[in-house]
Amino acid sequence: MTYLPIEPYLIELIERMARDEISFILAGGLGIYLKRRWVNEQVESRLRKNLFDVVPDARATDDIDTFFQLEAYLQPTRSKLRRALEELGYEPRTNYLIFEKTLSDETEQTISIDLLAPVPDDSRFKVDKPGGPGKVRRLSPREHKSSPASEQLHGYATPEAFAIDERPQSLPLLGRSPNGEPYDGFILVPHPFASLCMKIKAAADLRAEKHAQDVYLLLAMLDEQEWDECNELREQFRGHPELRSICQAVTDLFCTPDQSGCITIARNTRGADLRSFSELIRELFPSSGS
C-alpha cells in the first residue's frame, strides 16, 4: 500500500480534533485519493464491483480540505479549534481561510489545512456576495467583529457543497502520526454525489484540468449501490439552484465525448471510456436539472 507524505499529518489532525469532539469531513484531492485506495482494496478482495472496469489512479495532494461542522465557526467551539490548530503548529493565512505549518526550514515544505463551508440558511452567519467565477467568498460568524485575532476563523463559502452532510462515507485509515505512533481508525469523506457536485462546479468555474479528471474518477469508481444513492440524492435536491447550475455545467462540458471537459479527460486519462462516462453523467445530471 502506498502512503502519501501528508497522511501522518491528517492522522495528527484527526486525533487532535477528537480530543475536543470536533468532527470534520475530508474533501478535495486527499479525500478522493483515500477513497480510490479503499476502492482498489475492495475490488482486489472481490468485495466490490465498480461501474467501470478500469478506474484511473488518483492524484497525490499536499493539502487537507476540510468541512468542519458549522458550529466550529461559533463560540465556544471556534476558540477550541483555533487553539488546537495552534498546538499542532498551524498559522493562519489568507484571512483565516487557510492554516499552514512549515515542516522543514531547509526545504520550506509546508502542509496546509483549507477550511471550506456550505452556505447555510442561518442568521448566525454571513457570506460574501458572489463575485466572478473562481472568486473567493467567505463564510463568517456575525459575531466575528468582537473576536480577537486569535479567535478569527473563516470558511471558503462553497454553495455547491449543499449535499456535504448527506450520507458521508466512513473509510478505514491506518498509519502513523508524525511522532511514529500507530493509528487505526476512520476518516469521513463526502458521499460521491456531494463530491461530484463540487468537482463539476470546479471544472466549470476554474477550468483546471485536474477537476475534470476528478469528475471522471469519481464516476468511474461508483458501484451500483452508490449509483442508486446518487440518484436518490439528486431527487432529494431536485430544483435546488446549485444543482441546476451543476446540471448546466455537465451539459456544457461532459455531455458528449467531443466536448471540452471530455477532451481534457482524454488527454490526461489513459483508456478513458468517454462514451459510457458521458451517458452516465448526463443521466445523473440531466440538462433540465430535475
Side-chain angles (χ1 to χ4, degrees), residues 13-243:
L13 180 65
I14 294 169
E15 292 183 319
R16 182 60 185 84
M17 291 300 105
R19 285 169 50 188
D20 285 324
E21 299 182 329
I22 301 174
S23 66
F24 66 91
I25 296 173
L26 175 69
L30 184 54
I32 295 173
Y33 182 92
L34 296 180
K35 174 66 181 289
R36 174 66 182 91
R37 189 170 67 193
W38 176 81
V39 163
N40 187 58
E41 293 170 356
Q42 294 292 296
V43 170
E44 288 182 349
S45 301
R46 301 183 182 276
L47 298 174
R48 178 187 181 95
K49 181 173 175 55
N50 302 323
L51 293 185
F52 287 18
D53 291 332
V54 179
V55 178
D57 291 332
R59 58 188 171 84
T61 183
D62 59 1
D63 59 352
I64 301 173
D65 291 334
T66 57
F67 281 90
F68 282 93
Q69 306 158 310
L70 286 174
E71 295 298 323
Y73 293 91
L74 302 172
Q75 294 292 29
T77 309
R78 188 169 76 241
S79 292
K80 294 179 180 179
L81 178 53
R82 281 298 312 271
R83 183 169 60 250
L85 293 173
E86 182 179 351
E87 290 176 3
L88 293 175
Y90 290 91
E91 297 180 353
R93 300 281 188 270
T94 318
N95 200 8
Y96 306 99
L97 290 162
I98 296 175
F99 287 77
E100 184 179 89
K101 74 173 173 178
T102 301
L103 303 183
S104 169
D105 292 333
E106 295 180 357
T107 64
E108 297 184 350
Q109 181 183 2
T110 61
I111 292 287
S112 68
I113 297 174
D114 294 10
L115 305 177
L116 298 90
V119 176
D121 183 15
D122 190 325
S123 61
R124 296 174 298 174
F125 298 96
K126 59 181 180 179
V127 177
D128 291 348
K129 294 181 180 179
K135 296 293 185 181
V136 173
R137 298 173 64 193
R138 296 173 304 166
L139 173 137
S140 310
R142 292 191 178 277
E143 63 185 11
H144 236 180
K145 289 185 178 180
S146 60
S147 300
S150 62
E151 296 178 0
Q152 295 284 309
L153 199 66
H154 293 294
Y156 282 102
T158 313
E160 62 270 25
F162 56 88
I164 190 65
D165 292 321
E166 300 293 330
R167 308 188 195 186
Q169 297 181 332
S170 180
L171 301 180
L173 184 63
L174 300 174
R176 294 184 180 274
S177 64
N179 64 11
E181 290 295 318
Y183 177 79
D184 184 352
F186 296 87
I187 181 66
L188 287 177
V189 299
H191 189 276
F193 177 81
S195 290
L196 279 164
C197 288
M198 291 186 284
K199 283 300 181 178
I200 291 167
K201 190 66 182 295
D205 288 350
L206 303 179
R207 300 289 175 170
E209 293 194 350
K210 64 181 181 180
H211 298 305
Q213 294 171 249
D214 286 342
V215 173
Y216 183 89
L217 170 58
L218 285 164
L219 191 73
M221 65 179 172
L222 291 176
D223 66 6
E224 288 188 8
Q225 178 178 334
E226 290 172 336
W227 170 257
D228 291 342
E229 291 171 353
C230 283
N231 281 279
E232 290 169 5
L233 287 169
R234 184 203 60 227
E235 289 303 304
Q236 178 179 331
F237 290 99
R238 177 195 292 265
H240 192 290
E242 286 298 323
L243 181 56

